[in-house]
Amino acid sequence: MILFRHLFLIALFSFSFNSFSQTVYPKITGYFGIMHPIATFSSEQTTVNFRDYYAVGFPTGINIWKSQKIGFSFEVVPNIRVQGDSDKVTNLLFHPGVLVALGNGYTFAGRAAFESSGRYGITPVLNKTVIKSDNCSYFVAVPLPVRFGNDHPASFTVGFQFGIAF
């Protein structure tokens, strides 16, 4: 009987959660992705991911859409680097920004960037929803981070990201 009550409450909660899907604004969505920096350019050097090391980030965030066209996003990105026999979290990125819906599944995100490594900057991102269902959307994105600070030269990175939004 107790098991039945628990299952009933879980089913009721799941139904209630799904029946409150937002169609009015503000609208809140969440997402998770995997970001691969492809190449980073600075006045000192050009580094390419997948050659001497492997770097990957896991952007996780919440979007608050004020209207169908404009919103706010807050993202946190832990970054991991694997080189030889060593792997570690190298950085935690705080990434607030503005969202602009461009139509046809495209979105522009203009983000400020604050890294635990001491670097800061901006990250323009072009995002495209490639598969949309009732429960989630799958997306691809091209982030273009520009970073300054921490006694390093300014750098520009080209990345590739994919993920799921719900």
Side-chain angles (χ1 to χ4, degrees):
M1 187 65 160
I2 291 176
L3 177 61
F4 175 75
R5 275 192 233 160
H6 285 119
L7 290 174
F8 176 76
L9 289 174
I10 290 170
L12 182 63
F13 176 74
S14 297
F15 175 75
S16 297
F17 186 74
N18 287 333
S19 67
F20 288 113
S21 65
Q22 295 177 317
T23 56
V24 296
Y25 294 93
K27 179 180 177 182
I28 299 173
T29 60
Y31 63 92
F32 175 78
I34 298 173
M35 198 286 286
H36 298 284
I38 305 300
T40 300
F41 308 92
S42 75
S43 62
E44 290 181 350
Q45 64 183 346
T46 297
T47 57
V48 179
N49 199 6
F50 308 105
R51 189 181 343 185
D52 299 323
Y53 64 89
Y54 171 63
V56 61
F58 298 97
T60 305
I62 293 179
N63 297 332
I64 303 170
W65 287 94
K66 181 178 178 356
S67 70
Q68 200 171 13
K69 294 283 185 187
I70 192 100
F72 172 79
S73 179
F74 183 74
E75 179 177 87
V76 176
V77 186
N79 290 286
I80 297 173
R81 183 177 174 127
V82 179
Q83 189 168 13
D85 294 335
S86 173
D87 56 272
K88 63 182 175 178
V89 175
T90 56
N91 193 31
L92 185 62
L93 170 62
F94 298 94
H95 226 191
V98 125
L99 301 171
V100 179
L102 303 174
N104 295 325
Y106 287 94
T107 302
F108 171 79
R111 297 184 178 281
F114 307 97
E115 298 183 356
S116 63
S117 68
R119 307 266 295 160
Y120 61 92
I122 60 168
T123 307
V125 181
L126 184 60
N127 182 62
K128 168 71 172 148
T129 300
V130 291
I131 299 173
K132 186 171 182 127
S133 72
D134 291 337
N135 297 321
C136 64
S137 299
Y138 298 92
F139 66 89
V140 295
V142 177
L144 303 168
V146 177
R147 298 293 185 269
F148 308 96
N150 201 17
D151 297 324
H152 293 287
S155 64
F156 170 73
T157 302
V158 176
F160 175 75
Q161 178 178 334
F162 59 93
I164 183 169
F166 43 91

